[in-house]
Amino acid sequence: MKVSARIGAIEIAGDEIRVAIVKTGRRLPRVVELRRARAIYASEEDRRAATVAALKDALAQVKSQPALYVLCVSGAWSIARQLTIPFKGARRVAAAVQFELEPYLAFPVEELLIDHLVVREVEGETHTLIVGLRRDIVEERLGLLDEAGISVEGIGVDSVGAAALWAMRQGNVHGCHAHLHVLPGSSSISIVNDRRLALIRHLSSGAERVLEHPAAAAREVRNILRAFAANWQGGIEIASLTVSGISMFDDDRALFEAELGIPVQFADIVSGLPGVQVDDLPPGEIDAHWGGSVGVASAMGGGVFRLDFQRDGLPGAGNQRGMMGHALFTLVLVLIALGGYTGLRFVEHRDNLAKVERIGEQVWSVFKETYPEAEQAQARPVADIGGFKSLAAIEDAVEEESRMSQSYSIDTFSKPSMLDILAELAKNLPSEKASIKSLKIQGVGGYEVTISGEIVDGAAFSEAYENLKQSTIIKVKPDGLNRSSSEGKQTFVISATNQE
């Protein structure tokens, strides 16, 4: 689910500080602001103080304050492995990834912050992409941010962010496709299979080497793609490669594509997004400089490939979650609105009335951005003087959200997930036994599952239904099968739940 909010990503790239402010909530993010500052210092001893000053400078340039900030870290400080976990289930897999990764490391696993993405589930196993980020690098950057008075609510990797932004721009493209994102001093290659990130690899070849030696760069990419395809269980074919961050002459493009042996296209991942405008950078350099941070900010708003290494409770990072920023900002506006509305009785001057109206617009704008799906958010109330009606709508929405969040119990998170339920149905009701036409999963925590469709093989279906009744994931209700026949077709309706 995509959240409608302004999110800022802060990247410390050498001596340059980059701040990308992104508005999420739609299919493609809107880039609100791109700000930069550079640390200037005479000696290495002054570098830290200069970096803190540059952070303050970059953030002082921001005009549209975001609901939260996240930290974007270079993929050069990360490792990634695709590993197979010998079981399924989101909670069980999440608990096991650290132990599965440890044997592949030449250093203690505690030196990494770890998160993962599910690649696919096959025959009771979960193929995962595990990403580790160096803890010392993250802690150093969080320390700089803390000195600058900045708190972040999440941590992402620029290479994964660039891959996420590319995938968002691709839309609902199925099959296996690769993406090469070229930076001035390095590159990253990602492979996406059926909209899931299956590989991310950091390369030392930067823009200069790729442009000077396109054939050699293509061979390096080709070897990675071939190794990936060879190790994919069941075989796989990579349909295309997209290159971003650079542009090539036609002859070099042809040489690059011929060496790879698959279709190659060059595309912009940041340029062309709504709101992008950096006058002193050509389109290719906008992608190279901002692709990672814009992608990380977009992913944190509910986009694809969302990795967050903040769960370990690192020092120097905010303890409040994203919507808390909205809540605090809303509280300030509420106080202003109340003061404006109370003072309206004592002020008659036209300028003061205009100020009250602007306050009302601000309260209404915050309500729309924080709760875009609320019924009252579709149009501003009539006679909303100073935003007092918008304020009442905010209070109602906050009360409803609080009530719903308090209704969760620990048991909710120990129940099987929707993905577990779907996998269980696919295993017990395969297409050669039953053709599922409708699947409804309703409820929070305790799901009510209704499956309906046509029976392909009557005897096989009866056996499959008996197996489904033995499932530990979902519980078929007593007399949960309604089986009927009409015009030569046999149909069924099964009612089940994930509760005991």
Side-chain angles (χ1 to χ4, degrees), residues 167-300:
M168 290 179 203
R169 301 202 66 160
Q170 290 286 99
N172 293 320
V173 175
H174 295 284
C176 187
H177 302 267
H179 172 225
L180 176 66
H181 186 57
V182 183
L183 304 175
S186 62
S187 304
S188 62
I189 185 166
S190 57
I191 298 177
V192 173
N193 182 52
D194 288 339
R195 302 281 294 161
R196 291 193 177 189
L197 187 62
L199 177 139
I200 193 80
R201 181 75 59 82
H202 185 268
L203 308 177
S204 58
S205 300
E208 183 177 355
R209 183 175 185 275
V210 173
L211 292 173
E212 289 185 358
H213 307 285
R219 284 193 295 272
E220 184 178 11
V221 173
R222 183 190 64 195
N223 291 339
I224 293 174
L225 300 185
R226 287 182 175 177
F228 171 84
N231 291 325
W232 185 267
Q233 182 180 339
I236 198 169
E237 180 179 350
I238 300 173
S240 69
L241 172 74
T242 301
V243 181
S244 62
I246 59 168
S247 58
M248 287 184 177
F249 293 115
D250 291 343
D251 291 345
D252 290 337
R253 286 191 182 195
L255 184 63
F256 189 88
E257 186 170 359
E259 195 69 40
L260 275 171
I262 60 174
V264 177
Q265 58 182 350
F266 288 75
D268 299 327
I269 57 173
V270 178
S271 306
L273 287 175
V276 170
Q277 184 177 1
V278 181
D279 296 332
D280 59 341
L281 285 179
E285 290 191 33
I286 292 177
D287 287 349
H289 284 77
W290 298 100
S293 53
V294 170
V296 166
S298 303
M300 288 293 176

Side-chain angles (χ1 to χ4, degrees), residues 380-404:
R380 185 179 174 187
V382 178
D384 187 25
I385 300 172
F388 78 98
K389 289 187 177 180
S390 298
L391 171 59
I394 290 174
E395 291 173 342
D396 291 342
V398 169
E399 183 178 349
E400 175 66 14
E401 189 176 66
S402 176
R403 183 187 64 78
M404 292 183 66

Side-chain angles (χ1 to χ4, degrees), residues 42-120:
S43 64
E44 192 64 27
E45 290 77 11
D46 300 326
R47 182 175 184 176
R48 186 177 184 89
T51 302
V52 172
L55 281 166
K56 293 179 179 179
D57 181 17
L59 289 168
Q61 299 175 40
V62 174
K63 298 178 181 178
S64 302
Q65 292 299 322
L68 59 89
Y69 279 110
V70 297
L71 174 64
C72 177
V73 180
S74 170
W77 306 111
S78 69
I79 64 167
R81 292 282 189 277
Q82 189 191 107
L83 298 178
T84 300
I85 311 296
F87 44 77
K88 296 190 300 182
R91 294 181 303 278
R92 298 173 65 199
V93 170
V97 291
Q98 178 170 324
F99 304 103
E100 294 291 333
L101 178 63
E102 189 169 16
Y104 297 90
L105 302 176
F107 49 85
V109 71
E110 290 76 19
E111 294 182 12
L112 293 176
L113 302 173
I114 296 172
D115 202 358
H116 74 286
L117 296 168
V118 173
V119 178
R120 61 173 180 164

Side-chain angles (χ1 to χ4, degrees), residues 367-446:
F367 176 53
K368 283 198 306 181
E369 291 183 9
T370 309
Y371 301 99
E373 303 299 328
E375 182 178 350
Q376 303 96 316
Q378 307 313 309
R380 185 179 174 187
V382 178
D384 187 25
I385 300 172
F388 78 98
K389 289 187 177 180
S390 298
L391 171 59
I394 290 174
E395 291 173 342
D396 291 342
V398 169
E399 183 178 349
E400 175 66 14
E401 189 176 66
S402 176
R403 183 187 64 78
M404 292 183 66
S405 65
Q406 290 172 2
S407 68
Y408 285 101
S409 68
I410 297 301
D411 292 338
T412 297
F413 301 99
S414 65
K415 295 184 174 67
S417 68
M418 289 188 184
L419 289 177
D420 294 331
I421 293 173
L422 292 173
E424 190 72 3
L425 294 176
K427 181 179 71 174
N428 287 286
L429 292 176
S431 57
E432 65 270 14
K433 299 180 181 180
S435 176
I436 297 177
K437 302 297 184 183
S438 174
L439 173 62
K440 295 181 181 179
I441 302 178
Q442 298 176 308
V444 177

